[in-house]
PDB file of all heavy atoms in Angstrom:
ATOM      1  N   GLU A   4     -22.411 -15.610 -11.365  1.00 50.00           N
ATOM      2  CA  GLU A   4     -21.142 -14.908 -11.124  1.00 50.00           C
ATOM      3  C   GLU A   4     -20.093 -15.852 -10.542  1.00 50.00           C
ATOM      4  O   GLU A   4     -18.938 -15.862 -10.965  1.00 50.00           O
ATOM      5  CB  GLU A   4     -21.363 -13.722 -10.172  1.00 50.00           C
ATOM      6  CG  GLU A   4     -22.144 -12.568 -10.763  1.00 50.00           C
ATOM      7  CD  GLU A   4     -23.639 -12.794 -10.714  1.00 50.00           C
ATOM      8  OE1 GLU A   4     -24.056 -13.850 -10.180  1.00 50.00           O
ATOM      9  OE2 GLU A   4     -24.397 -11.928 -11.198  1.00 50.00           O
ATOM     10  N   SER A   5     -20.504 -16.676  -9.553  1.00 51.00           N
ATOM     11  CA  SER A   5     -19.555 -17.606  -8.931  1.00 51.00           C
ATOM     12  C   SER A   5     -19.155 -18.699  -9.917  1.00 51.00           C
ATOM     13  O   SER A   5     -18.018 -19.180  -9.892  1.00 51.00           O
ATOM     14  CB  SER A   5     -20.152 -18.215  -7.662  1.00 51.00           C
ATOM     15  OG  SER A   5     -21.361 -18.891  -7.938  1.00 51.00           O
ATOM     16  N   THR A   6     -20.098 -19.106 -10.777  1.00 48.00           N
ATOM     17  CA  THR A   6     -19.777 -20.111 -11.798  1.00 48.00           C
ATOM     18  C   THR A   6     -18.743 -19.575 -12.759  1.00 48.00           C
ATOM     19  O   THR A   6     -17.773 -20.264 -13.120  1.00 48.00           O
ATOM     20  CB  THR A   6     -21.048 -20.525 -12.567  1.00 48.00           C
ATOM     21  OG1 THR A   6     -21.997 -21.028 -11.653  1.00 48.00           O
ATOM     22  CG2 THR A   6     -20.719 -21.583 -13.602  1.00 48.00           C
ATOM     23  N   THR A   7     -18.928 -18.325 -13.191  1.00 51.00           N
ATOM     24  CA  THR A   7     -17.966 -17.696 -14.105  1.00 51.00           C
ATOM     25  C   THR A   7     -16.597 -17.575 -13.462  1.00 51.00           C
ATOM     26  O   THR A   7     -15.571 -17.835 -14.095  1.00 51.00           O
ATOM     27  CB  THR A   7     -18.476 -16.299 -14.509  1.00 51.00           C
ATOM     28  OG1 THR A   7     -19.762 -16.423 -15.114  1.00 51.00           O
ATOM     29  CG2 THR A   7     -17.523 -15.647 -15.501  1.00 51.00           C
ATOM     30  N   LEU A   8     -16.565 -17.174 -12.179  1.00 50.00           N
ATOM     31  CA  LEU A   8     -15.287 -17.058 -11.465  1.00 50.00           C
ATOM     32  C   LEU A   8     -14.610 -18.406 -11.344  1.00 50.00           C
ATOM     33  O   LEU A   8     -13.392 -18.524 -11.561  1.00 50.00           O
ATOM     34  CB  LEU A   8     -15.533 -16.468 -10.074  1.00 50.00           C
ATOM     35  CG  LEU A   8     -14.301 -16.308  -9.170  1.00 50.00           C
ATOM     36  CD1 LEU A   8     -13.291 -15.368  -9.808  1.00 50.00           C
ATOM     37  CD2 LEU A   8     -14.715 -15.810  -7.791  1.00 50.00           C
ATOM     38  N   TYR A   9     -15.378 -19.438 -11.033  1.00 56.00           N
ATOM     39  CA  TYR A   9     -14.812 -20.785 -10.915  1.00 56.00           C
ATOM     40  C   TYR A   9     -14.220 -21.246 -12.241  1.00 56.00           C
ATOM     41  O   TYR A   9     -13.100 -21.780 -12.281  1.00 56.00           O
ATOM     42  CB  TYR A   9     -15.890 -21.764 -10.450  1.00 56.00           C
ATOM     43  CG  TYR A   9     -15.448 -23.215 -10.507  1.00 56.00           C
ATOM     44  CD1 TYR A   9     -14.594 -23.737  -9.541  1.00 56.00           C
ATOM     45  CD2 TYR A   9     -15.861 -24.044 -11.550  1.00 56.00           C
ATOM     46  CE1 TYR A   9     -14.177 -25.046  -9.595  1.00 56.00           C
ATOM     47  CE2 TYR A   9     -15.450 -25.362 -11.611  1.00 56.00           C
ATOM     48  CZ  TYR A   9     -14.608 -25.861 -10.631  1.00 56.00           C
ATOM     49  OH  TYR A   9     -14.184 -27.165 -10.697  1.00 56.00           O
ATOM     50  N   LEU A  10     -14.959 -21.032 -13.332  1.00 53.00           N
ATOM     51  CA  LEU A  10     -14.464 -21.445 -14.650  1.00 53.00           C
ATOM     52  C   LEU A  10     -13.206 -20.668 -15.027  1.00 53.00           C
ATOM     53  O   LEU A  10     -12.260 -21.230 -15.578  1.00 53.00           O
ATOM     54  CB  LEU A  10     -15.557 -21.232 -15.707  1.00 53.00           C
ATOM     55  CG  LEU A  10     -16.775 -22.170 -15.616  1.00 53.00           C
ATOM     56  CD1 LEU A  10     -17.844 -21.754 -16.616  1.00 53.00           C
ATOM     57  CD2 LEU A  10     -16.356 -23.623 -15.851  1.00 53.00           C
ATOM     58  N   MET A  11     -13.190 -19.376 -14.703  1.00 56.00           N
ATOM     59  CA  MET A  11     -12.033 -18.558 -15.033  1.00 56.00           C
ATOM     60  C   MET A  11     -10.793 -19.040 -14.295  1.00 56.00           C
ATOM     61  O   MET A  11      -9.716 -19.188 -14.874  1.00 56.00           O
ATOM     62  CB  MET A  11     -12.314 -17.099 -14.679  1.00 56.00           C
ATOM     63  CG  MET A  11     -11.191 -16.140 -15.070  1.00 56.00           C
ATOM     64  SD  MET A  11     -11.543 -14.449 -14.595  1.00 56.00           S
ATOM     65  CE  MET A  11     -11.341 -14.559 -12.805  1.00 56.00           C
ATOM     66  N   LEU A  12     -10.961 -19.320 -12.982  1.00 60.00           N
ATOM     67  CA  LEU A  12      -9.823 -19.783 -12.196  1.00 60.00           C
ATOM     68  C   LEU A  12      -9.379 -21.180 -12.623  1.00 60.00           C
ATOM     69  O   LEU A  12      -8.178 -21.477 -12.638  1.00 60.00           O
ATOM     70  CB  LEU A  12     -10.177 -19.777 -10.710  1.00 60.00           C
ATOM     71  CG  LEU A  12     -10.434 -18.400 -10.090  1.00 60.00           C
ATOM     72  CD1 LEU A  12     -10.844 -18.536  -8.633  1.00 60.00           C
ATOM     73  CD2 LEU A  12      -9.212 -17.499 -10.215  1.00 60.00           C
TER      74      LEU A  12
END
Side-chain angles (χ1 to χ4, degrees):
E4 290 82 2
S5 58
T6 302
T7 302
L8 179 61
Y9 171 76
L10 291 174
M11 184 182 72
L12 294 177

